[in-house]
Amino acid sequence: MPNNTRVRFAPSPTGSLHIGGAHTALFNWLYARHTGGTFVLRIEDTDKERSTPEYEQSIMDGMRWMGLDWDEGPDKPAGYGPYRQSERMESYTKYAEQLLDAGLAYKDDGAVLFKVPSGETITFDDEVYGQISVKSENASVNQDGTIKDIVILKRDGMPTYNYAVVIDDYTMNINMVIRGEDHIINTPKQLLIYHALGFEIPKFAHLPMILGKDKKKLSKRQGATSVFEYNDLGYLPDGVFNFLALLGWSPKDGQEVFTRSEAIKLFDLGSVTKKPAVLDIDKLNHINQEQMKIMDPQELLKIIKPFWKNLGLDINSYSDDYLASSLQAMGGRGQTTLQLAEYSDYFISFDTVKERYKADDIKEEIRPLLKKFYGELLEVADFTPQTMEAFTRTWVESNESSMKEVALPLRWALTGRKVSPGVFEVAAQLGREECRKRLAYYNLI
RNA sequence: GGUCCCAUCGUCCAGAGGCCUAGGACACAGCCCUUUCAAGGCUGCGACACGAGUUCGAAUCUCGUUGGGACCGCCA
């Protein structure tokens, strides 16, 4: 069954993909994937001054990072191209002339302006906000409140935003326009042009804004600018994806942690909220942690590797299986990839342990006991957490010691940290010989 | 200032007239488990902005007030 739902994400390449743009792109993608429709990427590069190919590239990379693939775009031409506005001049000129001929537009100083009528009421049904109506004389105004005709072609010949979107959405057959709420106020202006040209009107769905802690629209100054910074900060694409999906929307059953395919299945424009949402890093951290827990170990490993490298750890001398199981051994600890990498460093390097722990807390009186115990522990037939723990429990009992007394120093010697997964889990992961080496270094066997 | 939009715990969401002495999640506090917590379990704290209506009954509908946001570029 062919599906003709067509949505688009239309960023302007004047900056990287920021969190607000990512949110809009995500919801478009979710809608397209849920309905089986087509997701179009259109580059709105009509600002000659600020648009750059580098930003265009960066936006696409950001989308790829988030796993938001598009079906049509500058790099994926289909029947509705080109996909950059700067390459679609022909249609802007054509329809401008049509408007000029019909007397609905006029030229002034080399620019073409659309004549805004008065006395009309422009109404549209937003899929999220419901019915919105504005009087045409209020649709486009000067600072003093007088009607302001809409510039459609600038003096440099390029189309303006409000005009180009209409022409492109129409000619690209977009039938559902999903964009930020900041565009709700632009919609009446665009509707005027739709009417003047006799174009069929698409459905509109505006999304609540994402606000910063100060409740102001996210600007480049606050928080991370591009989605890549979230990567560097330790967030998973799936974490950002999941977290962003929860801003302004939630599945009917209240599930908060979900995979991409679950999100696609569950997504519903009808349950998008209207209230602007404040971005809460604590929640992102939590969602990110949950995503790390359910992620495929080998996939997670690919992401953690660069973080380990940044910590100066030599991961090349270990197999992927060892590294992946080290990550698994962390048992869900750490909220970000950055933390996970840092917390697990002792699986890769004993040097980091030596730097952190000098063993000067060990009282000489108990060293003999520890030596005796660790020596025997290293000889258990089966170097698994279960066996080691069982062995230890009986040992401390018959030697009038305690779990605390022997396990805590062991943790320090093995990890150089106060906190870690179960110490026998750590020991098993490190392996008998590595444990022997570390204990020997601290003169504990 | 004008136009448009919004209004439930600190934050993100449930709630579409009785199921609400308002539910979940994050954060916070406390407790528990344990060899440690950065893992896990439990408990607590905490909100329907206000005022009028409509109704037998309102967080849910209407109006007003207040508060917040967005936009007012030949930027998008």
Side-chain angles (χ1 to χ4, degrees):
Chain A
M1 186 185 80
N3 184 300
N4 60 356
T5 297
R6 292 176 61 81
V7 296
R8 84 310 195 269
F9 173 54
S12 120
T14 53
S16 298
L17 183 67
H18 55 87
I19 214 70
H23 182 252
T24 304
L26 169 63
F27 278 55
N28 271 284
W29 183 87
L30 243 18
Y31 184 79
R33 297 296 172 254
H34 177 81
T35 57
T38 305
F39 180 38
V40 178
L41 172 63
R42 181 176 72 223
I43 302 297
E44 309 218 323
D45 57 349
T46 53
D47 185 337
K48 286 194 214 162
E49 304 290 301
R50 298 189 297 154
S51 298
T52 71
E54 289 74 25
Y55 282 136
E56 176 182 318
Q57 196 52 49
S58 166
I59 288 168
M60 295 204 277
D61 288 343
M63 288 175 71
R64 289 191 191 100
W65 180 78
M66 287 256 302
L68 305 178
D69 58 316
W70 50 97
D71 306 303
E72 297 176 19
D75 60 329
K76 267 190 152 186
Y80 296 92
Y83 293 86
R84 281 186 200 90
Q85 290 189 325
S86 59
E87 296 165 9
R88 313 184 115 243
M89 294 309 295
E90 210 177 303
S91 50
Y92 306 134
T93 315
K94 173 180 150 197
Y95 288 108
E97 265 158 26
Q98 192 172 313
L99 255 11
L100 248 11
D101 290 347
L104 296 168
Y106 60 93
K107 286 189 179 172
D108 182 40
D109 280 347
V112 179
L113 304 259
F114 175 80
K115 185 106 188 66
V116 175
S118 62
E120 288 178 22
T121 299
I122 311 156
T123 302
F124 66 100
D125 274 299
D126 191 279
E127 300 285 312
V128 173
Y129 287 86
Q131 192 179 79
I132 292 171
S133 37
V134 184
K135 291 198 172 67
S136 59
E137 52 268 39
N138 289 331
S140 178
V141 293
N142 291 299
Q143 285 283 0
D144 64 8
T146 55
I147 294 189
K148 180 188 167 103
D149 289 337
I150 300 167
V151 174
I152 58 173
L153 290 184
K154 306 180 214 171
R155 241 178 310 175
D156 66 3
M158 295 301 262
T160 55
Y161 168 73
N162 284 121
Y163 173 65
V165 213
V166 173
I167 305 302
D168 288 337
D169 284 340
Y170 173 74
T171 55
M172 295 175 111
N173 234 301
I174 301 299
N175 43 32
M176 172 62 92
V177 173
I178 302 173
R179 75 234 298 195
E181 188 251 38
D182 48 342
H183 286 296
I184 211 162
I185 204 125
N186 286 321
T187 311
K189 294 179 205 167
Q190 295 165 17
L191 252 11
L192 248 17
I193 298 172
Y194 272 102
H195 290 315
L197 255 10
F199 288 170
E200 192 184 337
I201 294 163
K203 287 184 181 173
F204 293 99
H206 289 89
L207 268 19
M209 294 277 92
I210 297 180
L211 275 21
K213 263 264 181 267
D214 61 355
K215 303 229 177 177
K216 290 264 189 280
K217 185 177 170 180
L218 237 33
S219 74
K220 283 174 183 151
R221 256 180 281 154
Q222 47 175 318
T225 302
S226 89
V227 293
F228 294 116
E229 288 182 37
Y230 283 84
N231 177 69
D232 298 342
L233 255 22
Y235 298 104
L236 249 31
D238 285 352
V240 175
F241 178 105
N242 190 162
F243 172 70
L244 246 29
L246 252 17
L247 250 32
W249 177 76
S250 65
K252 291 224 160 46
D253 63 0
Q255 184 183 353
E256 291 211 314
V257 178
F258 40 73
T259 62
R260 277 160 207 278
S261 53
E262 286 172 326
I264 290 170
K265 208 171 298 168
L266 265 16
F267 188 73
D268 167 31
L269 252 194
S271 39
V272 170
T273 61
K274 305 174 185 177
K275 199 178 72 166
V278 175
L279 190 149
D280 181 14
I281 292 294
D282 288 326
K283 187 69 174 266
L284 205 210
N285 287 336
H286 172 255
I287 295 292
N288 197 62
Q289 177 165 32
E290 296 303 314
Q291 285 292 340
M292 287 202 291
K293 288 182 192 170
I294 60 175
M295 188 162 205
D296 173 76
Q298 292 292 339
E299 289 302 308
L300 182 59
L301 174 61
K302 279 186 206 158
I303 292 177
I304 298 295
K305 275 184 175 180
F307 288 92
W308 273 331
K309 279 185 194 155
N310 278 347
L311 291 171
L313 303 177
D314 175 27
I315 56 173
N316 294 325
S317 29
Y318 298 92
S319 71
D320 278 1
D321 282 348
Y322 173 81
L323 294 173
S325 60
S326 297
L327 253 19
Q328 287 303 101
M330 292 308 292
R333 265 155 272 248
Q335 295 196 300
T336 60
T337 49
L338 206 55
Q339 286 181 334
L340 180 56
E342 188 194 321
Y343 292 169
S344 59
D345 62 357
Y346 45 77
F347 284 124
I348 298 161
S349 155
F350 183 38
D351 288 340
T352 61
V353 177
K354 290 193 273 198
E355 279 168 33
R356 281 195 293 264
Y357 183 57
K358 305 298 182 197
D360 41 25
D361 59 325
I362 293 183
K363 294 193 175 68
E364 287 310 315
E365 310 89 86
I366 69 154
R367 195 180 289 273
L369 174 99
L370 294 180
K371 281 182 138 176
K372 178 166 183 273
F373 170 67
Y374 296 146
E376 290 181 34
L377 180 68
L378 286 175
E379 299 311 318
V380 294
D382 188 18
F383 211 66
T384 62
Q386 299 73 23
T387 311
M388 283 189 267
E389 184 174 342
F391 171 80
T392 306
R393 289 202 185 282
T394 47
W395 195 93
V396 295
E397 187 128 347
S398 47
N399 288 273
E400 288 174 346
S401 178
S402 69
M403 189 59 114
K404 223 172 204 133
E405 192 172 41
V406 300
L408 262 29
L410 180 59
R411 166 172 292 110
W412 276 109
L414 259 26
T415 71
R417 293 196 137 100
K418 186 171 179 280
V419 177
S420 84
V423 72
F424 301 118
E425 321 282 332
V426 173
Q429 174 60 20
L430 284 170
R432 204 190 295 263
E433 292 319 307
E434 183 62 25
C435 288
R436 189 189 306 284
K437 182 179 133 194
R438 295 187 184 191
L439 286 165
Y441 174 83
Y442 288 114
N443 189 26
L444 286 170
I445 45 172

